[in-house]
Amino acid sequence: MMARGVSKTKVYAGIKQHWMKLHQKDTPPFDKKHPYYLEELKDNLEHSMGDAAQHAYGSGSGNELRVKMRALHSSSALTFNLFGNDAVKLYPNEHNLTPGEYQVEYEKKLPALYGKANLDACLSSENELLLFEMKMKEWLFDRKSSVSVRYQSEEKRFSDKEFYAAWHTAAKEVAAENVEKMVTESGEKTESLLYTPKMQYVDVYQLLKHILGIYKGIFSSRELPEKKKATLILGVWTIEDTDFFGTDAKAVKIYDAYQTCEKEMRKEFAAFHTAIAPIIQEFATQHVQFDVRLLTVREIISTLHAENRLQRYLC
C-alpha cells in the first residue's frame, strides 16, 4: 500500500538525513547493500541489549536481531530505544499515562482465537498495564490486517459470549462492505475473509486481535496479571519538521501530502475508538478500566523525559 503522494524512499531518506545530522563526527558504517541499514546492530541501539531483551527479540516473529533492527526505520529498534532494559520511569505528563516505575517485557505473545497476538512492549506497575503497538513507517505503507472466516461461529472456543459478541460488533463497524478473498504473493486465493478493513492507515484488526489477546491473557490464560487498569497504546512516529523532505516546491508538496495522511490516520483512529465502546464496557464489567490510546512517539518520549537522548526520532 502506498500513502498518497508520499514515497517510502523519501521517508527513509529523510530519516537517514536527520540521523546523519546528529552523527556528523561519529558516523558508523552503513550496510553496503542496504543504504538505510547500519552495518552493526549495536550502532542502532541507545542501550546495550540485556539477556531478556535479546531472548525476546531472538524468538520473536521475524529475524529482528540479525536484520530488521539494523534499519534506521525499525519499529523494534524504536521500541527498545524507548524503554531499554531496566525499570521504565514515566514522569507526570499531559497524556493521561500514570507516572511511576514500570517493568518492561518485549515481544509479549498472548493467545488470540488463532495464533498469537504479538505486542511490542508490555509495561507493568503495581496497578496498571501499558501495552504498546509501535509503528514507525508501517502506518503509512504496510498492508493492513484482515480477519479470517475462521473467526466466525467460534463461540465454543471462547467462553465469554458477551465479550465475543462485543468484539464482533466492533469488527463489523470498521469493516469494508466488500469482503475479498485472501491472496498470497503468488496470486493464489487461499481462504475467505470475514472482515477486511475500510481504514487505510490504522491497522484496526491487528488492534482488535491484540484486544482479544489482552482480554484472554487477563481473564482466561492468566498470562497477564490482572490490574485495575490496562491500556493498549498505538504509538505512531510522525513528522513535524516541515523541511523533512527538503525545501523546494516538490518537497513542500510531499510534506503537504504527508499531513493529509496523518490527518486521515487520526480520523480513522477516532472512528475505531468509537467502534470499540462495547468492548471497553465488557472490561468494565470485569472491573478493569480498559482503553486504547493513540500517542505519537514524540508524546511517548516526553513522558520519559528523553528528548535529548532520543532526538533521532524527533523529526
Side-chain angles (χ1 to χ4, degrees):
M1 183 187 74
M2 177 70 72
R4 293 186 293 271
V6 185
S7 76
K8 190 181 292 186
T9 300
K10 290 290 187 183
V11 171
Y12 287 1
I15 292 170
K16 184 174 182 178
Q17 183 178 24
H18 178 72
W19 191 86
M20 293 287 284
K21 286 179 182 178
L22 299 172
H23 296 80
Q24 294 182 30
K25 295 181 179 179
D26 58 344
T27 307
F30 281 82
D31 189 313
K32 293 177 182 178
K33 294 183 179 180
H34 304 95
Y36 306 115
Y37 288 67
L38 290 163
E39 196 170 273
E40 299 288 340
L41 172 62
K42 63 181 177 61
D43 293 323
N44 204 29
L45 302 180
E46 300 298 320
H47 327 263
S48 297
M49 189 176 285
D51 291 343
Q54 285 192 44
H55 181 267
Y57 287 114
S59 60
S61 57
N63 198 332
E64 301 291 344
L65 290 177
R66 190 173 66 86
V67 180
K68 293 182 179 180
M69 289 184 78
R70 292 192 290 112
L72 293 180
H73 52 268
S74 165
S75 292
S76 296
L78 163 65
T79 306
F80 179 74
N81 285 335
L82 283 170
F83 303 125
N85 296 294
D86 303 317
V88 178
K89 185 173 182 179
L90 297 188
Y91 292 86
N93 58 85
E94 301 176 353
H95 308 299
N96 200 31
L97 298 186
T98 305
E101 284 201 352
Y102 294 76
Q103 297 301 312
V104 62
E105 184 178 355
Y106 296 106
E107 298 289 298
K108 182 70 174 177
K109 297 176 181 61
L110 298 170
L113 278 182
Y114 292 95
K116 297 280 187 178
N118 200 59
L119 289 152
D120 292 325
C122 175
L123 272 58
S124 177
S125 69
E126 183 179 355
N127 295 312
E128 188 166 353
L129 290 172
L130 298 176
L131 305 125
F132 287 83
E133 175 59 41
M134 300 300 301
K135 304 289 187 187
M136 195 155 179
K137 50 78 182 174
E138 293 91 345
W139 70 269
L140 276 167
F141 303 115
D142 284 13
R143 184 182 181 91
K144 304 304 183 280
S145 307
S146 298
V147 176
S148 166
V149 72
R150 292 186 298 170
Y151 274 71
Q152 191 172 33
S153 302
E154 285 290 351
E155 292 90 344
K156 290 184 293 184
R157 300 186 67 216
F158 199 83
S159 58
D160 192 324
K161 305 297 189 294
E162 289 77 14
F163 181 85
Y164 184 82
W167 190 90
H168 276 283
T169 297
K172 290 172 185 176
E173 283 293 316
V174 296
E177 292 184 4
N178 297 321
V179 177
E180 300 174 354
K181 294 281 187 179
M182 186 180 294
V183 180
T184 64
E185 290 183 1
S186 64
E188 296 178 357
K189 293 181 179 179
T190 55
E191 64 176 333
S192 296
L193 297 175
L194 183 59
Y195 307 122
T196 58
K198 60 184 175 184
M199 279 71 167
Q200 183 176 357
Y201 300 109
V202 176
D203 197 343
V204 290
Y205 292 124
Q206 182 189 51
L207 293 176
L208 279 168
K209 290 172 186 177
H210 284 350
I211 292 170
L212 181 59
I214 292 166
Y215 190 90
K216 292 186 73 174
I218 294 174
F219 302 116
S220 178
S221 69
R222 306 295 178 182
E223 294 180 49
L224 286 174
E226 187 170 342
K227 306 286 186 178
K228 295 178 181 178
K229 186 177 180 181
T231 306
L232 174 60
I233 296 170
L234 175 60
V236 295
W237 175 78
T238 54
I239 303 169
E240 292 192 10
D241 181 2
T242 56
D243 295 335
F244 179 84
F245 297 104
T247 56
D248 59 20
K250 185 176 180 180
V252 171
K253 188 176 181 180
I254 295 172
Y255 186 74
D256 287 344
Y258 163 78
Q259 285 189 304
T260 300
C261 295
E262 185 180 330
K263 288 176 183 176
E264 183 62 26
M265 179 268 291
R266 291 180 181 278
K267 284 174 58 179
E268 289 180 0
F269 183 82
F272 169 75
H273 195 270
T274 299
I276 63 171
I279 292 176
I280 292 173
Q281 183 56 47
E282 287 302 316
F283 275 92
T285 301
Q286 300 284 353
H287 309 292
V288 172
Q289 182 183 345
F290 177 76
D291 200 5
V292 182
R293 301 279 310 287
L294 171 67
L295 290 178
T296 67
V297 168
R298 183 178 294 269
E299 289 168 339
I300 296 169
I301 288 173
S302 74
T303 69
L304 299 165
H305 285 188
E307 289 87 348
N308 290 333
R309 179 172 62 84
L310 296 174
Q311 289 183 55
R312 60 178 290 186
Y313 296 116
L314 302 178
C315 296

